[in-house]
Amino acid sequence: MARFPRSAIPRLLYTFFSSKTRRFYPSPTAALLLGNFEVRQFSAGNVARAKDAKEPWWKESMERLRNIGISAHIDSGKTTLTERILYYTGRIHEIHEVRGKDGVGAKMDSMDLEREKGITIQSAATYCTWKDYQINIIDTPGHVDFTIEVERALRVLDGAILVLCSVGGVQSQSITVDRQMRRYEVPRLAFINKLDRMGADPWKVLNQARSKLRHHSAAVQVPIGLEENFQGLIDLVQLKAYYFHGSSGEKVVAEEIPADMDVIVAEKRRELIEMVSEVDDKLAEAFLNDDPISSVDLEEAVCRATIARKFVPVFMGSAFKNKGVQPLLDGVLSYLPCPIEVSNYALDQTKNEEKVMLPGTPDGPLVALAFKLEEGRFGQLTYLRVYEGVIRKGDFIVNINTGKKIKVPRLVRMHSDEMEDIQEAHAGQIVAVFGVDCASGDTFTNGSVKYTMTSMSVPEPVMSLAVQPVSKDSGGQFSKALNRFQREDPTFRVGLDAESGQTIISGMGELHLDIYVERIRREYKVDAIVGKPRVNFRETITQHAEFDYLHKKQSGGQGQYGRVCGYVEPLPPGSPIKFEFENMIVGQAVPSNFIPAIEKGFKEAANSGSLIGHPVENIRIVLTDGASHAVDSSELAFKLAAIYAFRQCYSAARPVILEPIMLVELKVPTEFQGTVAGDINKRKGVIVGNDQDGDDSIITANVPLKNMFGYSTMLRSMTQGKGEFTMEYKEHSPVSQDVQMQLVSTHKADKAE
């Protein structure tokens, strides 16, 4: 019997509808025509819409899809919130707490280390269904050392929930996460959590979000009671009061607004309408004309303003006490965009990286970004965000960054560390593939287009440790572990110290490197000896200096001859590039084929400055003249000439050492403020801010990283265990003259040894 292509079969042949699965299935005729082809399932809505030629088959399924991330400062309740979302959407059947006291731990913290420490280390992906909408969720870490996990999650998401603590308010990492959301232009909702805690004040947090994060925001809910009297929420859009009954708050009961709250509800609803009117013309017109504003009008206006990133609706609740999570899920469906409402751009490699807007539909050619790698039980697991087209199991896809053609052996959807095999995934979905060799940030297509997605920004590591395995026999496993972690985490770097021969690992902070050493121990059964933490200093120059160097060597046969002349100078402050080389030779004093070798020589020389052997940055090297020999000149001769020329002029350019400065935020009880501030001064820190928050003082300071080692223990002893701090990299800045002399003499002594 002749087979028909799937596309040639009219959709009207899908006649049998199952009320149980809410799916259409093909009539016997269709099944015969399809032969052994896999039958595509259409939902009731899709078939009805498919009859209307204007609306493609995928439109409704795309509109019912949300990709969201949950981000916040440490301990604001991200993982607890995700746990409740999974419970209410039926993905898990019992709730476990983050600290894992019951021996189970939260679903999204699948690593043993995460459960023990009660922190999220890796972002975890999952999906769930709420009111016939599919929601893909990525739970991200709050600790600044794992900032790359937040970066890569936000890079591929369409919307986000920024969780704020009703007691702690807007903290340092909240500001960092918000900055990352702005960088990737992610529309967001804010969720003020922990309203059941002592000292909860959502209105103070809302004002902080407006002042510190510059959010144009307003509350869409008002809490009924606070602290131990927190009972429920009033929805300002629908004008309904919601209470959460049942052992886990699973029964949401809608009632009329309590009479004693009419005044505050009217005031807060008017504030909401005013704030949205400022950024939405349609609502502004109704508001100025004093027209009655219905719930539908207000909801649509909030949705338009949120998707346009002009407004941030603020939700409230307590995830731990199971209150306010279901209305937040409704808010995700109502106010955050579906994949086709977001603009995504690719770079066309055939047209000199011209920006191309992706329609984001399943009809186009496949474009997918590998945003995260993980070593799973069955080999490398690559997380993909599909931006356009459809990816199927067994398809051939092309890695545009390497040019390799690869077959998709297995396609899965992730639920934390569990996976579910699927046959295909279309634009807008987040899936994972097995056995595909690639790097984080690679773009895959079906081969018909050469598009690459812009990659995420990766911060430079600020701290290094020397590590080596205890026993020589475990060297193989040790290398395997380091290679795997490097592939998974772009902020984790591994290098070799040329002088000592030690393996050096670099990362974003003490905790970051400690976690990796611990993972080598647990996952690869390799005990490692860890050296003293080493700060990643840099060197730079402060003035113009000229060079004129002739490299000449004669030994039987062809000799070496190369002369380079020019100057070095510092790049202007704030320059995005660290090294610049310019060839200003007029004529052919040096043949053009030797110029790349000269540049390579200067780059190599700048890898280690003569002060303390650290890389030199923020320099501009200009080549103005040179000389060559018809026989003796070679690429090697010019490369060596460049290296020696750099060393010759380096000391004349007044080099200085740069050290990483950290932005440290401390929260300490006011009684210890003087002691802590004195200690910061002793550590050569500069206090740049001091705020009062209830009984606590919030001190912001810029402190050199080398003076911050072991600070957490010191802070605990100074504040009787009540102080806490966070720090993140701010910049590299010059050290004082006495510190520079000390560092140089230490370096010389080490070299002599």
Side-chain angles (χ1 to χ4, degrees):
M1 173 182 166
R3 297 264 172 85
F4 285 74
R6 193 187 329 215
S7 57
I9 296 164
R11 295 216 171 96
L12 296 173
L13 292 171
Y14 290 79
T15 54
F16 166 60
F17 177 67
S18 157
S19 57
K20 189 178 175 188
T21 60
R22 296 191 58 76
R23 299 266 188 210
F24 271 86
Y25 294 93
S27 65
T29 327
L32 278 169
L33 287 168
L34 280 164
N36 295 331
F37 279 112
E38 171 205 331
V39 175
R40 184 193 289 275
Q41 296 176 338
F42 281 86
S43 73
N46 285 343
V47 173
R49 281 166 178 269
K51 290 176 186 171
D52 177 1
K54 287 176 192 168
E55 295 226 323
W57 61 267
W58 43 261
K59 193 166 191 302
E60 182 159 334
S61 73
M62 290 288 275
E63 284 171 353
R64 290 183 170 271
L65 181 62
R66 298 287 182 274
N67 292 315
I68 63 163
I70 299 180
S71 300
H73 186 83
I74 312 151
D75 272 350
S76 296
K78 296 175 297 298
T79 305
T80 306
L81 176 62
T82 314
E83 188 81 355
R84 299 308 186 269
I85 289 174
L86 294 178
Y87 178 73
Y88 297 134
T89 55
R91 289 294 291 148
I92 56 175
H93 303 296
E94 51 183 22
I95 292 172
H96 295 287
E97 296 317 328
V98 172
R99 289 274 170 189
K101 292 189 179 101
D102 54 2
V104 181
K107 177 73 199 167
M108 301 303 279
D109 284 349
S110 54
M111 280 168 63
D112 291 343
L113 263 170
E114 292 180 313
R115 290 177 177 178
E116 279 172 32
K117 290 180 180 284
I119 59 168
T120 302
I121 292 167
Q122 288 185 331
S123 52
T126 186
Y127 65 94
C128 56
T129 307
W130 180 251
K131 298 187 177 173
D132 285 343
Y133 282 72
Q134 189 190 324
I135 305 176
N136 290 316
I137 301 173
I138 297 184
D139 173 32
T140 62
H143 205 286
V144 70
D145 284 20
F146 309 108
T147 188
I148 188 66
E149 292 287 336
V150 185
E151 286 275 347
R152 54 174 151 210
L154 292 174
R155 168 67 186 83
V156 298
L157 293 170
D158 304 323
I161 299 172
L162 174 66
V163 184
L164 300 168
C165 171
S166 65
V167 182
V170 174
Q171 293 157 288
S172 59
Q173 191 62 11
S174 321
I175 299 169
T176 304
V177 167
D178 188 71
R179 195 185 311 128
Q180 289 169 321
M181 289 178 184
R182 278 180 209 275
R183 183 183 301 146
Y184 298 114
E185 299 182 343
V186 179
R188 52 203 173 280
L189 313 176
F191 179 67
I192 299 177
N193 193 17
K194 304 191 178 185
L195 290 187
D196 58 302
R197 276 186 54 188
M198 283 285 290
D201 185 350
W203 308 114
K204 178 196 80 177
V205 180
L206 177 57
N207 288 329
Q208 280 184 354
R210 287 171 182 164
S211 60
K212 288 188 178 180
L213 303 175
R214 300 193 308 285
H215 277 185
H216 187 80
S217 58
V220 290
Q221 294 174 334
V222 171
I224 304 169
L226 282 174
E227 300 177 0
E228 65 266 27
N229 301 321
F230 177 49
Q231 295 161 4
L233 296 159
I234 294 167
D235 188 320
L236 296 175
V237 178
Q238 307 297 340
L239 289 175
K240 282 263 187 297
Y242 292 109
Y243 296 92
F244 305 89
H245 298 310
S247 58
S248 305
E250 66 277 9
K251 295 192 189 96
V252 183
V253 180
E255 291 181 14
E256 291 305 308
I257 295 168
D260 61 340
M261 294 193 70
D262 282 344
V263 177
I264 188 170
V265 167
E267 179 200 320
K268 294 293 178 190
R269 190 172 199 262
R270 186 174 175 81
E271 185 184 307
L272 170 65
I273 293 169
E274 278 178 16
M275 293 296 271
V276 180
S277 299
E278 284 178 28
V279 290
D280 186 81
D281 296 342
K282 201 171 169 188
L283 190 73
E285 201 177 315
F287 178 61
L288 292 171
N289 295 338
D290 272 343
D291 295 344
I293 292 168
S294 70
S295 296
V296 175
D297 295 338
L298 184 52
E299 187 173 318
E300 285 175 358
V302 172
C303 177
R304 285 192 299 270
T306 306
I307 291 174
R309 302 193 318 282
K310 292 176 180 173
F311 179 72
V312 180
V314 178
F315 289 77
M316 301 184 186
S318 164
F320 185 66
K321 287 286 163 66
N322 311 313
K323 290 183 173 76
V325 178
Q326 297 95 323
L328 176 65
L329 277 169
D330 293 339
V332 166
L333 308 187
S334 304
Y335 304 134
L336 288 181
C338 70
I340 44 179
E341 289 174 314
V342 179
S343 305
N344 286 304
Y345 295 92
L347 305 175
D348 191 341
Q349 297 303 313
T350 57
K351 294 184 180 170
N352 202 15
E353 298 209 340
E354 189 182 297
K355 247 188 171 187
V356 183
M357 186 167 167
L358 298 176
T361 65
D363 286 343
L366 172 71
V367 179
L369 174 74
F371 68 95
K372 177 174 157 68
L373 309 180
E374 217 174 81
E375 196 70 28
R377 294 187 295 277
F378 312 104
Q380 183 176 300
L381 184 64
T382 306
Y383 285 77
L384 292 178
R385 159 73 200 256
V386 186
Y387 281 99
E388 199 174 341
V390 177
I391 185 169
R392 294 182 182 84
K393 182 181 171 181
D395 273 2
F396 280 96
I397 56 174
V398 178
N399 182 338
I400 298 299
N401 300 64
T402 62
K404 284 183 187 166
K405 195 173 184 182
I406 307 157
K407 188 176 182 180
V408 179
R410 188 177 170 198
L411 195 61
V412 294
R413 270 202 304 199
M414 297 305 295
H415 175 42
S416 186
D417 57 342
E418 293 169 17
M419 35 195 105
E420 177 190 313
D421 280 279
I422 53 172
Q423 294 303 310
E424 64 175 50
H426 63 64
Q429 292 187 321
I430 291 173
V431 290
V433 290
F434 268 111
V436 170
D437 188 37
C438 68
S440 195
D442 283 359
T443 306
F444 292 96
T445 73
N446 57 1
S448 63
V449 288
K450 283 194 86 173
Y451 290 169
T452 57
M453 301 301 293
T454 52
S455 190
M456 54 224 123
S457 74
V458 178
E460 282 296 309
V462 293
M463 188 184 283
S464 302
L465 284 177
V467 286
Q468 61 187 74
V470 172
S471 73
K472 291 276 189 287
D473 306 339
S474 49
Q477 284 291 88
F478 182 68
S479 310
K480 201 171 158 187
L482 294 182
N483 286 336
R484 172 193 153 186
F485 297 148
Q486 259 194 117
R487 287 170 73 90
E488 284 181 12
D489 182 351
T491 57
F492 179 73
R493 314 271 170 92
V494 179
L496 198 68
D497 188 325
E499 287 168 18
S500 64
Q502 286 178 307
T503 303
I504 305 290
I505 57 171
S506 306
M508 300 307 296
E510 266 181 295
L511 179 68
H512 190 207
L513 297 177
D514 285 351
I515 292 287
Y516 277 119
V517 171
E518 187 61 30
R519 284 182 68 187
I520 292 171
R521 220 166 265 154
R522 291 183 184 212
E523 293 169 34
Y524 289 88
K525 309 284 182 281
V526 176
D527 270 331
I529 304 168
V530 179
K532 279 209 317 255
R534 200 183 74 169
V535 177
N536 289 348
F537 291 104
R538 293 282 181 268
E539 295 183 27
T540 191
I541 55 172
T542 54
Q543 67 181 33
H544 174 104
E546 301 201 348
F547 58 83
D548 179 350
Y549 189 85
L550 170 64
H551 175 67
K552 191 174 172 187
K553 201 172 181 187
Q554 199 63 47
S555 55
Q558 187 187 350
Q560 289 180 10
Y561 186 94
R563 182 181 173 205
V564 289
C565 307
Y567 59 88
V568 295
E569 62 183 8
L571 282 167
S575 170
I577 49 174
K578 307 288 183 198
F579 176 93
E580 192 181 309
F581 175 81
E582 199 173 337
N583 173 24
M584 289 178 73
I585 294 179
V586 180
Q588 285 285 313
V590 175
S592 54
N593 56 319
F594 292 135
I595 301 297
I598 295 172
E599 183 177 354
K600 198 174 172 189
F602 279 118
K603 263 191 181 150
E604 211 169 283
N607 276 339
S608 86
S610 58
L611 290 177
I612 54 167
H614 280 256
V616 183
E617 58 181 41
N618 297 335
I619 54 165
R620 179 166 179 261
I621 295 171
V622 180
L623 195 62
T624 55
D625 200 2
S628 64
H629 188 277
V631 179
D632 291 351
S633 285
S634 64
E635 286 192 356
L636 176 66
F638 275 105
K639 184 181 160 187
L640 290 169
I643 291 172
Y644 293 129
F646 183 83
R647 289 179 189 166
Q648 177 198 50
C649 70
Y650 188 62
S651 52
R654 296 242 333 259
V656 292
I657 298 170
L658 303 174
E659 65 179 343
I661 300 294
M662 308 304 278
L663 176 65
V664 181
E665 186 178 279
L666 300 115
K667 188 175 184 181
V668 296
T670 308
E671 67 217 69
F672 303 114
Q673 183 185 346
T675 320
V676 171
D679 183 67
I680 288 288
N681 289 330
K682 247 191 262 171
R683 291 171 190 269
K684 299 204 171 158
V686 177
I687 294 173
V688 291
N690 196 338
D691 285 330
Q692 207 60 28
D693 179 15
D695 294 337
D696 291 330
S697 284
I698 296 179
I699 301 169
T700 317
N702 296 335
V703 192
L705 173 65
K706 69 174 190 310
N707 300 336
M708 288 300 291
F709 292 138
Y711 185 64
S712 48
T713 319
M714 192 71 186
L715 182 67
R716 276 192 211 112
S717 64
M718 279 189 294
T719 60
Q720 297 171 6
K722 294 173 190 166
E724 54 183 60
F725 82 103
T726 57
M727 67 174 185
E728 60 181 293
Y729 169 72
K730 185 173 184 283
E731 62 188 358
H732 269 79
S733 75
V735 300
S736 58
Q737 197 56 42
D738 58 322
V739 173
Q740 178 153 324
M741 285 165 69
Q742 192 184 332
L743 288 168
V744 171
S745 58
T746 310
H747 175 66
K748 280 181 181 162
D750 290 349
K751 235 176 161 183
E753 274 178 33

